[in-house]
Every structure is written in structure tokens, then in C-alpha cells.
Amino acid sequence: NAIDIIAPSGTPVVAAADGEIAKFFDSDAGGITIYQYNRDKTLVYYYAHLARRAETIKEKDYVKRGTVIG
């Protein structure tokens, strides 16, 4: 299941939950994307159509809910 959250260009994207940045991926359909696991790795959050990723994060980083990731 998924939801789209629309925001004006330039709006910071924040982590929806505590967890690990699983993967960065770029595609024609999703553009610049980030995959993030929740804390116990039972859910995956997919952030797509980003203008850019935050320079402060990398794959395998653990982030807290509210951390700017894009």
C-alpha cells in the first residue's frame, strides 16, 4: 500500500520513522528515490520524485523520525 504526499518544490522530505536507509535508486518512473526500513525491518518506506537527497545521509545510515533525508 502507498500514499502520495504532494508538497511545493523545495519542501524538505523527512524520515517517516526511525530506521535504516536501505538503498538509493534512480529510475525513469520514480526519479531520485530513497528506500528506508523501519526499526525492525518489517516495513519499507519509499520516497520518490525527490529533487535531491540530503548530503548528510548515505546507505546503511540509521535515521530518526523527522531527520531531513531529501
Side-chain angles (χ1 to χ4, degrees), residues 49-61:
H49 309 290
L50 304 173
R52 64 183 180 87
R53 295 180 192 95
E55 295 177 11
T56 55
I57 63 163
K58 60 186 181 306
E59 291 179 352
K60 308 299 182 198
D61 278 356

Side-chain angles (χ1 to χ4, degrees), residues 16-35:
D18 294 356
E20 180 184 312
I21 300 297
K23 178 179 169 180
F24 292 159
F25 188 73
D26 299 335
S27 69
D28 290 336
I32 297 171
T33 66
I34 299 171
Y35 290 85

Side-chain angles (χ1 to χ4, degrees), residues 1-2 16-23 34-47 62-63:
N1 296 332
D18 294 356
E20 180 184 312
I21 300 297
K23 178 179 169 180
I34 299 171
Y35 290 85
Q36 178 202 345
Y37 294 122
N38 68 336
R39 186 178 323 165
D40 57 5
K41 295 189 176 181
T42 57
L43 297 173
V44 177
Y45 299 96
Y46 173 68
Y47 307 89
Y62 188 87
V63 295

